[in-house]
Amino acid sequence: MCKEHREPSMNLEGSEKRISFVINATEDRVNRLRQAYLDGTLMVDSERLAEKMLAFEQQLEIVFPEKDTP
């Protein structure tokens, strides 16, 4: 097999490993959060959460501006 056919395969394998790492890291974080919730040790800063929600909403408005409707 020539080199051209092996490189995409190698790139795909590398991508799969990176994706797997991200998925595993996300699952680990979710599991830690779930356990903290069950233990009663999960602390939520409601003011910080509200600020993040507002910032996210503002970003959405930039990307998807509301159309003026009569």
Side-chain angles (χ1 to χ4, degrees):
M1 193 175 270
C2 71
K3 187 177 179 181
E4 291 176 13
H5 290 107
R6 284 184 283 161
E7 286 183 16
S9 174
M10 292 173 67
N11 289 337
L12 181 60
E13 289 173 10
S15 296
E16 288 173 347
K17 287 179 183 177
R18 285 190 296 273
I19 291 169
S20 176
F21 174 78
V22 170
I23 290 171
N24 289 337
T26 302
E27 286 178 1
D28 289 345
R29 182 164 188 228
V30 169
N31 288 332
R32 287 194 313 271
L33 287 169
R34 180 182 294 122
Q35 190 60 48
Y37 172 77
L38 293 172
D39 293 345
T41 59
L42 179 65
M43 303 298 288
V44 176
D45 182 346
S46 58
E47 191 170 318
R48 183 171 174 231
L49 177 61
E51 288 171 358
K52 285 188 170 194
M53 290 173 69
L54 288 172
F56 178 71
E57 179 127 350
Q58 289 171 347
Q59 290 175 347
L60 286 177
E61 288 176 1
I62 291 170
V63 175
F64 303 107
E66 289 185 34
K67 295 180 181 176
D68 293 326
T69 55

